[in-house]
């Protein structure tokens, strides 16, 4: 049997080939790059018990559903749990599932621009989702009667890393044209990450920094985004809140210090990617704010 270290590079190559495939990804969608990055992130924290990967992480919620919030002891009764399960099963049985037939225009030019994770909320949108987040959890053991919660009560959830993924450049591009398009798409992810970090800092006044990975297909770049460096972004995002009181001072953003764009699984860059990711993991272990 092959060792774990031998299996992972092979799996990464399969996931990369799958996303590049014109047969299985004819529209060049970013979502088919999720397997590669999901695998990479889960492997990155596999040996760290309190670091978890959260795909499609909601960094900002615009609508409040206070009437739907559970009480502290909601659902503790076993019969209540059974009743909830029965109700959910009944509701699911009544739900009509739409057909899975491809719609007209599935293969139109520009269809690959579709993104499945909204970075900035549109009007009436409920929130902002980040493609992936890695969280550091704190927990204390629970009494035996509450083992259905997994045996632990979560005491903290510190966001360590955001990952924003964009689709790869057109597969017909080469050389300088390709490099320029990769840079443009990574830059788009960088801009989204600054906004996402801004929402995070607005939501959590104790949070001073968050690490970030901006990716386009298998190409990526990283940085640490600091609260003090994006106060203008935070100010702009806050203006949508009617209760926001703008300060008298003027703000200017500082551009995060993004490192060089490299390929995650490239023959000449795989070792550099691995070393960089190990540094990211080390910093996440050490993060406390």
């Amino acid at each position: 049997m092959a060792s774990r270290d031998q299996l992972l590079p092979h799996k990464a190559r399969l996931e990369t080939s799958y996303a590049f495939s014109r047969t299985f990804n004819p529209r060049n969608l970013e979502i088919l790059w999720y397997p590669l990055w999901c695998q990479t992130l889960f492997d990155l924290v596999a040996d760290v018990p309190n670091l978890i990967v959260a795909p499609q992480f909601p960094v900002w919620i615009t609508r409040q559903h206070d009437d739907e919030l559970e009480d502290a002891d909601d659902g503790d009764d076993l019969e209540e749990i059974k009743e909830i399960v029965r109700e959910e099963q009944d509701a699911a049985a009544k739900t009509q599932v739409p057909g899975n037939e491809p719609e007209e225009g599935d293969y139109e030019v520009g269809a690959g621009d579709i993104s499945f994770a909204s970075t900035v909320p549109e009007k009436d949108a409920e929130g902002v989702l980040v493609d992936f987040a890695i969280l550091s959890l704190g927990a204390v053991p629970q009494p035996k009667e509450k083992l259905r919660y997994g045996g632990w009560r979560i005491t903290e959830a510190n966001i360590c890393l955001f990952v924003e993924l964009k689709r790869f450049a057109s597969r017909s591009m080469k050389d300088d044209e390709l490099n320029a398009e990769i840079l443009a798409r990574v830059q788009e992810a960088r801009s989204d990450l600054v906004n996402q970090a801004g929402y995070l800092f607005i939501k959590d006044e104790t949070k001073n920094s968050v690490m970030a990975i901006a990716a386009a297909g298998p190409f990526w770049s990283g940085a640490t985004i600091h609260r003090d460096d994006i106060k203008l972004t935070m100010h702009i995002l806050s203006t949508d809140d009617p209760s926001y009181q703008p300060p008298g001072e003027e703000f200017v953003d500082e551009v995060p210090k993004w490192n060089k764009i490299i390929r995650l699984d490239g023959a000449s860059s795989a070792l550099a990617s691995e070393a960089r990711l190990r540094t990211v993991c080390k910093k996440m272990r050490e993060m406390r704010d």
Side-chain angles (χ1 to χ4, degrees):
M1 181 179 292
S3 70
R4 184 169 178 267
D5 289 340
Q6 290 173 319
L7 285 173
L8 293 180
H10 174 66
K11 187 173 289 187
R13 287 195 295 271
L14 283 176
E15 290 158 343
T16 302
S17 297
Y18 175 57
F20 272 130
S21 171
R22 292 181 183 272
T23 300
F24 294 99
N25 190 12
R27 294 160 61 196
N28 194 20
L29 296 174
E30 73 173 52
I31 199 169
L32 293 198
W33 286 101
Y34 281 25
L36 173 64
W37 279 100
C38 191
Q39 179 80 45
T40 298
L41 296 172
F42 273 93
D43 291 339
L44 180 64
V45 301
D47 297 326
V48 189
N50 68 315
L51 292 182
I52 66 166
V53 179
Q56 296 295 285
F57 184 76
V59 69
W60 184 260
I61 303 297
T62 58
R63 291 181 183 171
Q64 299 298 321
H65 301 279
D66 293 338
D67 56 333
E68 297 181 6
L69 294 179
E70 292 185 333
D71 295 330
D73 296 323
D74 208 12
D76 279 353
D77 183 77
L78 182 59
E79 291 303 316
E80 184 177 355
I81 298 170
K82 292 179 180 178
E83 181 61 26
I84 292 172
V85 171
R86 283 194 294 269
E87 290 176 359
E88 290 177 347
Q89 289 174 340
D90 290 343
K94 296 176 182 177
T95 302
Q96 294 183 352
V97 180
N100 196 31
E101 295 298 321
E103 297 180 1
E104 183 179 355
D106 268 355
Y107 298 92
E108 64 183 352
V109 176
D113 288 323
I114 298 171
S115 175
F116 289 85
S118 299
T119 298
V120 179
E122 299 176 359
K123 186 178 181 180
D124 299 328
E126 293 190 3
V128 178
L129 301 179
V130 183
D131 288 331
F132 298 96
I134 292 184
L135 285 70
S136 174
L137 301 182
V140 295
Q142 282 284 78
K144 289 185 178 179
E145 63 267 19
K146 293 188 177 181
L147 287 180
R148 70 184 183 86
Y149 288 120
W152 298 89
R153 179 170 62 85
I154 303 302
T155 57
E156 63 174 331
N158 179 29
I159 299 172
C160 303
L161 175 72
F162 282 159
V163 179
E164 182 65 19
L165 176 61
K166 300 300 179 185
R167 74 186 183 104
F168 190 61
S170 171
R171 288 165 287 199
S172 63
M173 293 182 176
K174 296 181 180 179
D175 304 327
D176 291 344
E177 184 184 21
L178 174 61
N179 292 334
E181 186 64 16
I182 291 173
L183 175 60
R185 295 190 184 278
V186 170
Q187 185 57 46
E188 181 184 355
R190 289 171 174 172
S191 297
D192 286 352
L193 284 161
V194 168
N195 282 336
Q196 292 162 0
Y199 281 116
L200 172 63
F201 297 150
I202 293 169
K203 179 181 177 181
D204 183 355
E205 295 181 356
T206 69
K207 188 73 177 172
N208 293 315
S209 66
V210 64
M211 288 188 291
I213 287 177
F219 290 84
W220 68 288
S221 171
T224 297
I225 302 175
H226 298 276
R227 171 187 290 272
D228 289 343
D229 291 340
I230 62 167
K231 287 189 174 181
L232 176 59
T233 294
M234 293 170 61
H235 165 67
I236 294 172
L237 297 176
S238 297
T239 55
D240 290 334
D241 182 357
S243 64
Y244 175 62
Q245 298 293 326
E249 60 182 309
E250 294 185 0
F251 299 120
V252 177
D253 279 357
E254 296 289 337
V255 178
K257 296 179 180 179
W258 297 97
N259 51 26
K260 180 182 177 181
I261 298 173
I262 58 177
R263 181 164 170 164
L264 186 65
D265 62 332
S268 61
S269 60
L271 291 178
S273 272
E274 182 178 351
R276 187 186 286 180
L277 287 171
R278 289 185 185 278
T279 299
V280 170
C281 188
K282 181 176 183 293
K283 289 181 178 179
M284 288 192 293
R285 288 173 181 261
E286 299 169 350
M287 288 183 71
R288 292 294 182 268
D289 68 339

